[in-house]
């Protein structure tokens, strides 16, 4: 990934953005870098995309809300935002998530805390 692409993506502001950058870095190659530049894609924009997608799965508990999203689903939304599949090729259709089995690992994010 070029320095220019990294500059366009923005410096990671939190652990979620750092994780996204670490995840996409090996999959980015020149055509995807052109997409990042053309569409002005950023790490912050990716987090917002994932939060918007996750909002439909939000469960309210008192004044707080969280969405039981698996890491696999989170990174599927990351690939969707950047136009990648697992190999860094053009995107494949990503099916909507289904209910996760009770034993599945869950990424619990308090969506209210992220938009303060």
């Amino acid at each position: 990934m070029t320095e220019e692409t990294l500059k366009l993506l923005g410096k990671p502001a939190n652990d979620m953005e750092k994780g996204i950058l670490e995840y996409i870095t090996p999959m980015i190659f020149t055509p995807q870098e052109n997409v990042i530049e053309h569409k002005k894609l950023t790490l912050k924009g990716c987090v917002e995309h994932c939060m918007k997608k996750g909002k439909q799965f939000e469960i309210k508990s008192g004044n707080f809300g969280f969405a039981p999203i698996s890491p696999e689903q989170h990174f599927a939304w990351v690939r969707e935002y950047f136009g990648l599949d697992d190999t860094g090729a053009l995107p494949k259709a990503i099916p909507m998530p289904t209910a996760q089995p009770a034993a599945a690992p869950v990424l619990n994010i308090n969506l209210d805390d992220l938009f303060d």
Side-chain angles (χ1 to χ4, degrees):
M1 188 178 305
T2 67
E3 289 294 321
E4 186 174 331
T5 301
L6 286 172
K7 185 177 178 181
L8 289 169
L9 287 172
K11 185 174 181 174
N14 55 48
D15 288 340
M16 184 176 281
E17 289 182 8
K18 287 178 191 173
I20 291 169
L21 183 60
E22 288 172 8
Y23 180 76
I24 67 167
T25 296
M27 292 190 278
I28 298 293
F29 60 98
T30 303
Q32 260 66 35
E33 290 186 52
N34 292 337
V35 169
I36 289 169
E37 292 172 21
H38 179 69
K39 292 186 176 183
K40 299 184 186 328
L41 302 177
T42 64
L43 294 173
K44 181 178 179 181
C46 182
V47 169
E48 290 171 358
H49 173 79
C50 293
M51 291 297 127
K52 183 178 177 183
K53 292 279 198 167
K55 194 78 168 164
Q56 64 185 315
F57 301 100
E58 183 177 28
I59 299 169
K60 288 286 188 181
S61 177
N63 293 330
F64 300 100
F66 67 94
I69 303 298
S70 70
E72 291 82 10
Q73 183 57 61
H74 166 69
F75 288 113
W77 291 334
V78 169
R79 290 189 307 272
E80 178 181 80
Y81 178 79
F82 286 105
L84 301 166
D85 68 10
D86 291 332
T87 64
L90 294 176
K92 295 178 181 176
I94 299 172
M96 288 304 294
T98 58
Q100 299 294 320
V106 175
L107 178 64
N108 288 318
I109 299 172
N110 185 338
L111 299 174
D112 295 328
D113 287 347
L114 294 172
F115 292 103
D116 288 340

